[in-house]
Amino acid sequence: MKKKLQKKPFIFISISIIVLGIIVTTIFSIVLMFKNSSSKNKGYSFYTIQKEPDYLFKGTVTANTTTDYTKNTALGELSKIDVIDGQKVNIGDILLTYTSSSDDLSSQEFEVKNSKNNLSNAKSDLLEITNKDVTLRSKLSKVKDNVEKQEITNQIEINNDAWKTAQRAVTAAELVLDQAQNSLNNKIEHQTVSVTSKTAGTVVMGTDSETSPLLSIVSQDTFVQGEVSEYDYDILKINDSVNIETVDLKRKVTGKISYISPVPEKTNDTSSFSIYKFKVNLDDSLQNGYTVQIHLPNTNLYIPKSAVKSGSVYVKDGNTIKKVKVQTKDSDGRLQIESGVKVGDKLIKEATNYVNRS
């Protein structure tokens, strides 16, 4: 019984030593693996792929439409301006009111009187010729001499031609009178003429000079007129999405490029490069006249040439390094990425120094 009790501590100690050995071996293996894994990254400098800054262009917010209204004396005398500066109007709202002048009416009334007088004279001439025809025919019925009869017959024929001419004169005079009367009636009916707005927008009063309209209607819908130099011209593409930012940074809206001028602006500037206009349609309106910055996202990605080895780069993924195939092209002394890696990836900067120890 005593011997059995003496053997138990020995067995316990043996088992403890074995378990401890297993634990130490496991810990040593883990540390060795971590050390080997870490040693792969030790001594290498990394390059993190960054998003390139946006392309920036200057722009001005412009109204989609501006409709000018000048004074029209053909409509009469301007008697009233029915709107004020800054007023919002819709299509069909009255902007200006004209009144026909009394001189216009007096002139047309004179035309009517003159036409009536001409018609009266034409009718008198016709009546006189008609009476002469009656007299000649009465005389013809009483004459017995053949020679005299022939003479009167000839006079009747001549008078008949004159009657036809007089009848045509009466018809023409009646037509002239009808036209003059209709014109007078029309002027009386339209003595007041209203000019209405062709578009919806905001009223901007002018100066009523030879070079300025009486007023303009500026639409509330706007677009951005941008400028690009010849050096960046090829960067822009129709339908490119852009971000618009006001200079005070209070408003940011999105939009798309809808037009790029193929012709440079004419300018008196002596600069050595050309400027082209382009148009951005906005997803939300901005205040007309604002100066804005146009941000065109730069989607190009660049890496150092030294990061590429035999068409591949070495990307840090946690505590490991992965070999990744990339497609690149030369661009201004740098390598532009076409495929394989993305923004945020960390690459070994000097790929030729990397040795795969796995």
Side-chain angles (χ1 to χ4, degrees), residues 105 107-116 173-189:
L105 291 176
S107 174
Q108 195 58 46
E109 287 171 349
F110 174 79
E111 287 294 326
V112 170
K113 289 180 181 179
N114 189 51
S115 297
K116 286 181 178 179
E174 287 174 341
L175 181 60
V176 170
L177 176 59
D178 285 344
Q179 291 175 339
Q181 187 64 58
N182 288 337
S183 182
L184 176 61
N185 294 341
N186 188 56
K187 286 200 172 186
I188 293 172
E189 182 180 351

Side-chain angles (χ1 to χ4, degrees), residues 7-220:
K7 284 181 180 179
K8 283 185 179 179
F10 177 77
I11 293 170
F12 178 77
I13 291 170
S14 297
I15 293 171
S16 298
I17 291 171
I18 292 170
V19 171
L20 182 62
I22 293 171
I23 292 172
V24 170
T25 302
T26 302
I27 292 172
F28 179 76
S29 298
I30 292 172
V31 170
L32 185 62
M33 286 175 60
F34 179 77
K35 186 175 181 182
N36 288 339
S37 176
S38 299
S39 67
K40 293 180 183 179
N41 298 338
K42 189 175 180 181
Y44 297 121
S45 61
F46 291 90
Y47 175 84
T48 303
I49 300 177
Q50 304 281 345
K51 181 184 181 300
E52 292 294 309
D54 292 345
Y55 298 110
L56 292 180
F57 305 97
K58 180 183 176 182
T60 305
V61 181
T62 306
N64 274 335
T65 59
T66 299
T67 308
D68 296 332
Y69 295 84
T70 55
K71 186 180 288 186
N72 188 353
T73 55
L75 298 177
E77 233 179 274
L78 180 63
S79 57
K80 185 181 179 185
I81 297 176
D82 297 89
V83 291
I84 59 173
D85 194 45
Q87 180 178 333
K88 301 289 190 297
V89 296
N90 295 312
I91 296 174
D93 286 353
I94 297 175
L95 305 176
L96 305 168
T97 300
Y98 289 88
T99 303
S100 298
S101 66
S102 56
D103 290 342
D104 290 339
L105 291 176
S106 298
S107 174
Q108 195 58 46
E109 287 171 349
F110 174 79
E111 287 294 326
V112 170
K113 289 180 181 179
N114 189 51
S115 297
K116 286 181 178 179
N117 186 55
N118 290 338
L119 177 59
S120 178
N121 290 336
K123 286 182 175 180
S124 295
D125 291 342
L126 180 62
L127 180 59
E128 184 179 341
I129 293 170
T130 300
N131 290 336
K132 184 177 181 181
D133 182 74
V134 172
T135 301
L136 288 172
R137 290 182 185 280
S138 176
K139 187 176 180 182
L140 180 62
S141 64
K142 296 176 183 178
V143 173
K144 301 217 184 223
D145 183 64
N146 289 333
V147 175
E148 192 174 353
K149 276 186 178 183
Q150 187 59 48
E151 260 183 46
I152 294 173
T153 300
N154 292 340
Q155 289 178 17
I156 290 174
E157 289 178 357
I158 294 170
N159 192 69
N160 189 50
D161 290 339
W163 183 90
K164 291 178 181 178
T165 301
Q167 182 62 53
R168 286 194 292 268
V170 169
T171 302
E174 287 174 341
L175 181 60
V176 170
L177 176 59
D178 285 344
Q179 291 175 339
Q181 187 64 58
N182 288 337
S183 182
L184 176 61
N185 294 341
N186 188 56
K187 286 200 172 186
I188 293 172
E189 182 180 351
H190 297 91
Q191 193 168 4
T192 299
V193 178
S194 296
V195 175
T196 59
S197 181
K198 300 174 184 175
T199 57
T202 304
V203 177
V204 177
M205 299 305 298
T207 58
D208 189 24
S209 66
E210 293 182 0
T211 58
S212 174
L214 190 61
L215 60 88
S216 301
I217 304 299
V218 179
S219 69
Q220 295 183 31

Side-chain angles (χ1 to χ4, degrees), residues 266-282:
K266 291 182 179 178
T267 176
N268 295 325
D269 193 357
T270 56
S271 58
S272 59
F273 56 88
S274 298
I275 297 295
Y276 296 79
K277 297 285 189 183
F278 65 96
K279 180 180 179 180
V280 177
N281 288 341
L282 300 175

